[in-house]
Amino acid sequence: MNGVAERFILLALDPSTGEPLTQAGFADVAIAGAFLADLSLRDRIAISDDSVVVTDDSPTGSTALDACITTIGEKPRDAGALITAFCPIAHRRRDEVFVEAEQAGLVEHLTRRHLWLYTTHRYKPVAGSSLVHLFAEVQRAITSPGVSMTPEIGALIAVLDAAQIATRRFPGADQQQIEAARTGAWAQSAVRSATEQIQLAVMVALTAATTAATTAAITSN
């Protein structure tokens, strides 16, 4: 659970209810962008002529990241196109992380039956687990002006912000610390491109959802 993507998946949950703080489709986009951040932090990719290229294709130890490297090598694509291509990998990884986190004692799996028609699944952090410690580490970095942060924590905060849930997950977030996370020394071109593309994708999705809701309301009237 040390990758940016895995940490994002677990922090993108309401700590009191276990409910996701963002819709599944938005989460997949953010996770896909986090894959790019992970690969960049591991010095596996670089950007050349706006296209992401693989600089080291040796095994990463992560099936998801290895699949991303294979996808990058298929043809030249920019960060935005790759995030779209990574979404199926992100969706699978999200489900896997919840299972792994439950087995590791990081989260409690809660289920609820609705009118005997369908079941919802929630994953609530277990008190005293390393997930709670991760929350405390990120909270300190994002709420305390001038506090230094590791490249991994900085990239994680940048992804949380790009997915528009940083201030919801950490209400006392300091905007200067968020900006520091987005522009820190670890924010290499691939990380920056990833977070920018996440923001763009989420904004487009939110605009589309708002437009659809407005159209439905007008039609119903």
Side-chain angles (χ1 to χ4, degrees):
M1 299 297 170
N2 291 327
V4 175
E6 286 74 18
R7 290 179 168 188
F8 171 83
I9 291 168
L10 295 176
L11 284 185
L13 299 171
D14 185 304
S16 60
T17 66
E19 294 189 9
L21 294 174
T22 184
Q23 295 181 22
F26 297 170
D28 289 344
V29 168
I31 296 164
F35 286 151
L36 279 180
D38 273 321
L39 291 172
S40 181
L41 290 171
R42 294 175 183 225
D43 294 322
R44 298 306 186 96
I45 58 174
I47 292 184
S48 177
D49 297 327
D50 293 329
S51 294
V52 178
V53 296
V54 176
T55 57
D56 180 357
D57 63 358
S58 59
T60 64
S62 164
T63 302
L65 292 183
D66 289 344
C68 290
I69 288 177
T70 298
T71 300
I72 294 170
E74 291 174 350
K75 61 181 180 180
R77 278 179 280 199
D78 62 18
L82 282 171
I83 286 176
T84 299
F86 289 168
C87 277
I89 304 172
H91 187 79
R92 290 194 299 271
R93 186 59 185 141
R94 180 163 53 88
D95 292 340
E96 292 170 354
V97 165
F98 289 144
V99 174
E100 293 170 9
E102 182 184 8
Q103 292 173 343
L106 300 179
V107 298
E108 178 186 3
H109 184 190
L110 307 174
T111 61
R112 182 181 178 185
R113 190 80 169 176
H114 297 265
L115 301 176
W116 302 103
L117 297 176
Y118 63 96
T119 302
T120 56
H121 299 268
R122 298 291 180 260
Y123 298 88
K124 186 176 178 179
V126 172
S129 70
S130 59
L131 179 56
V132 175
H133 296 311
L134 171 62
F135 171 84
E137 183 179 3
V138 177
Q139 185 175 44
R140 179 172 179 272
I142 201 173
T143 61
S144 305
V147 168
S148 61
M149 58 190 84
T150 65
E152 292 76 18
I153 293 299
L156 174 58
I157 291 173
V159 172
L160 287 166
D161 179 56
Q164 298 187 6
I165 60 175
T167 54
R168 291 178 61 197
R169 189 62 170 80
F170 301 93
D174 181 84
Q175 289 301 320
Q176 291 184 342
Q177 285 296 95
I178 292 177
E179 184 63 20
R182 294 177 60 247
T183 60
W186 54 82
Q188 304 169 44
S189 55
V191 175
R192 187 172 293 110
S193 292
T195 55
E196 289 174 351
Q197 291 299 325
I198 294 169
Q199 287 179 317
L200 179 61
V202 170
M203 287 175 61
V204 169
L206 287 174
T207 300
T210 301
T211 301
T214 301
T215 301
I218 293 175
T219 302
S220 64
N221 291 332

